[in-house]
Amino acid sequence: MYQINENYQKLPGSYLFSTIGKKVAAFQEENPDKDIIRLGIGDVTQPIAPAIIEAMHKAVDEMGDAATFRGYAPDLGYEFLRSAIAENDYKARGCDISADEIFVSDGAKSDSGNIQEIFAVTNRIAVCDPVYPVYVDSNVMAGRTGTYDPKTETWSDVIYMPCTAENHFVPEFPKEVPDMIYLCLPNNPTGTTLTKDQLQLWVDYANKNGAVIIYDAAYEAYISEDNVAHSIYECEGAKTCAIELRSFSKNAGFTGVRLGFTVVPKELKCGEVSLHSMWARRHGTKFNGAPYIVQRAGEAVYSPAGKEQLAKQVAYYMNNARTIKEGLKDAGFDVYGGVNAPYIWLKTPDKMTSWEFFDYLLEKANVVGTPGSGFGPSGEGYFRLTAFGNYENTVKALERIKAL
């Protein structure tokens, strides 16, 4: 008889945002007259920019003409998109990343879950705590995390790097040396980040200890401070120790369109084995490429009109972030983030647990957020709100919260 992958049975409960979705749906069914404002999942609300829509329409027309029709995409992605990425996201910032080191995909979530496949299951991973759940869960599925302790909500073979108010939500070097280090900067869920000098220390640490950094830069478009790196490759030596994940979801509103990419430098090697070649083999075997229409849309992100229009969208969401942060501070909350990222991280009031505050906010204010404990044990007692709603709902949600 066939056997299943028992590692899946180790996962506690369902995926965080699936649980939230079920709770909200149940509340809505019982209270159909309630107007629920969703500031939980990090989904965008502004429409795709005109320059991008125009490029998509043009690509659709091309697909209807035999002379310009496109079939399977190249393994790494179309040259026009990879070159645009290399020029605008890297070379423009002084990073020596070439187009053939960029692998186009259907999103950073897929890549962040799949990248672990090229590493041995014996590797120890280190994650910030709290952390984006996909990093840990995908390693659980691979059998890399050991056993789960429901009392501490931790895995025996995972090295946790607590990010708390006491250390300003900045990870510290762990006592045990990991093999794989996951860093999400600007951070999801805390909204905080590292300075360039702090990030350089992590690059030096990884190179010294033979570790690899999986660097999730999905929110780099929201960085507003000059001393924060937009790419880990702004740090000296990063090409020999880091893989970078990027997304078009948050900077260009592609959550429903799906597009992202991963950078694996050719200098990144384990002994004599090239990780670039390994990821290329995995990518070519298991992925058939993002659609041509979507890749043309991605190219338009880097056009002059696209840049101008998307800068306005980012500013719109960051205005929401400032509104939430200032409003919650005025209401007496301890609040973090909202400067270099579209997330607000707040301490729950009256010693409520994260899920107690979730239920309280949903029932009393009809506002949905994300319980901090869903991101890891150090997230207990905290709560995440996103700035991706529209401005009117953002203001309305704040008014409801203040009235509690």
Side-chain angles (χ1 to χ4, degrees), residues 16-17 128-133 188-189 345 370-377 379 384:
L16 171 63
F17 296 105
C128 295
D129 175 29
V131 69
Y132 181 47
N188 176 17
W345 189 244
T370 309
S373 60
F375 297 99
R384 192 194 76 174

Side-chain angles (χ1 to χ4, degrees), residues 125-373:
I125 69 166
V127 297
C128 295
D129 175 29
V131 69
Y132 181 47
V134 171
Y135 308 149
V136 175
D137 287 0
S138 58
N139 279 283
V140 173
M141 294 171 181
R144 195 177 283 112
T145 57
T147 56
Y148 183 70
D149 184 345
K151 292 183 179 179
T152 60
E153 298 182 336
T154 58
W155 295 89
S156 61
D157 292 344
V158 173
I159 298 170
Y160 292 89
M161 302 180 291
C163 297
T164 64
E166 288 69 31
N167 64 10
H168 306 290
F169 301 101
V170 172
E172 299 171 358
F173 297 132
K175 295 178 181 178
E176 300 176 79
V177 177
D179 302 299
M180 300 162 61
I181 303 166
Y182 285 82
L183 294 177
C184 176
L185 299 167
N187 185 257
N188 176 17
T190 66
T192 55
T193 193
L194 304 181
T195 65
K196 289 182 182 179
D197 289 341
Q198 288 173 320
L199 184 57
Q200 181 66 59
L201 294 176
W202 279 97
V203 170
D204 296 342
Y205 174 88
N207 277 319
K208 177 182 177 181
N209 291 285
V212 62
I213 297 173
I214 311 299
Y215 191 80
D216 188 343
Y219 300 96
E220 67 80 26
Y222 294 85
I223 293 172
S224 63
E225 296 179 317
D226 292 336
N227 66 339
V228 177
H230 287 254
S231 168
I232 196 169
Y233 302 118
E234 293 179 44
C235 296
E236 185 178 353
K239 293 185 70 176
T240 58
C241 71
I243 293 172
E244 183 164 290
L245 315 175
R246 289 281 191 104
S247 170
F248 286 80
S249 289
K250 304 310 193 302
N251 68 322
F254 278 31
T255 54
V257 177
R258 308 309 305 150
L259 189 66
F261 62 89
T262 290
V263 178
V264 187
K266 293 179 180 177
E267 290 96 318
L268 183 56
K269 296 182 178 181
C270 181
E272 295 301 315
V273 178
S274 165
L275 269 66
H276 179 275
S277 296
M278 289 185 70
W279 186 242
R281 186 69 170 87
R282 192 264 173 206
H283 208 64
T285 300
K286 294 191 174 185
F287 185 63
N288 249 358
Y292 171 72
I293 296 165
V294 175
Q295 292 197 49
R296 280 297 186 192
E299 180 188 30
V301 167
Y302 301 101
S303 68
K307 289 179 180 179
E308 180 181 358
Q309 291 162 11
L310 293 179
K312 291 178 180 178
Q313 284 196 358
V314 168
Y316 178 93
Y317 291 130
M318 289 310 292
N319 181 56
N320 286 349
R322 283 189 295 273
T323 300
I324 296 171
K325 186 170 188 175
E326 292 170 5
L328 291 175
K329 277 188 173 182
D330 291 343
F333 286 88
D334 293 327
V335 191
Y336 310 90
V339 176
N340 295 299
Y343 292 122
I344 305 298
W345 189 244
L346 61 131
K347 191 169 182 60
T348 58
D350 303 324
K351 297 183 179 180
M352 287 186 187
T353 67
S354 298
W355 279 105
E356 285 173 346
F357 188 61
F358 173 89
D359 291 334
Y360 177 73
L361 213 57
L362 177 60
E363 293 169 8
K364 303 298 182 182
N366 306 147
V367 173
V368 178
T370 309
S373 60

Side-chain angles (χ1 to χ4, degrees), residues 58-119:
K58 181 179 178 182
V60 168
D61 290 338
E62 290 178 23
M63 296 297 278
D65 187 331
T68 52
F69 171 79
R70 305 290 184 112
Y72 290 124
D75 283 354
L76 274 66
Y78 284 102
E79 175 68 27
F80 60 77
L81 177 56
R82 291 187 290 115
S83 293
I85 292 169
E87 289 295 328
N88 290 274
D89 286 332
Y90 295 102
K91 292 180 182 178
R93 295 192 180 280
C95 305
D96 183 23
I97 297 295
S98 60
D100 62 358
E101 293 175 304
I102 296 165
F103 297 80
V104 176
S105 71
D106 61 354
K109 181 177 182 178
S110 299
D111 287 351
S112 63
N114 293 330
I115 194 68
Q116 52 79 29
E117 288 189 21
I118 66 174
F119 298 98

